Amino acid sequence: MQYDLRAVIHEGDRVVVNIDMRGEGTSSGAGFDLSAWWAYVVRDGRIAQCFSYLDRERALAAVGLRM
């Protein structure tokens, strides 16, 4: 699987990243190519919460950010 970081939004202890993912299914060999938004809440240098969405607005809202 290949990951490409496209965007990072950071405000305080909240981080949202956009990652393009490409690869193949282990059993089927079927290819996939998708863009996902991951949202994190960090406390004391560790990930306390993690959310994954296919759209930017939902990822931002999950950690209380609006842009």
Side-chain angles (χ1 to χ4, degrees):
M1 185 174 321
Q2 179 180 343
Y3 299 93
D4 292 315
L5 181 63
R6 294 292 192 201
V8 177
I9 301 166
H10 181 265
E11 185 174 313
D13 63 352
R14 297 166 289 170
V15 181
V16 175
V17 298
N18 178 230
I19 300 171
D20 287 341
M21 297 180 278
R22 288 183 235 23
E24 295 180 348
T26 304
S27 298
S28 69
F32 64 88
D33 185 0
L34 66 94
S35 180
W37 288 86
W38 290 74
Y40 303 94
V41 175
V42 179
R43 290 195 186 102
D44 298 321
R46 295 178 183 216
I47 296 172
Q49 293 179 299
C50 176
F51 307 92
S52 176
Y53 296 98
L54 295 178
D55 64 88
R56 178 181 183 262
E57 289 73 27
R58 289 185 65 193
L60 289 169
V63 293
L65 295 177
R66 301 272 182 226
M67 299 212 170

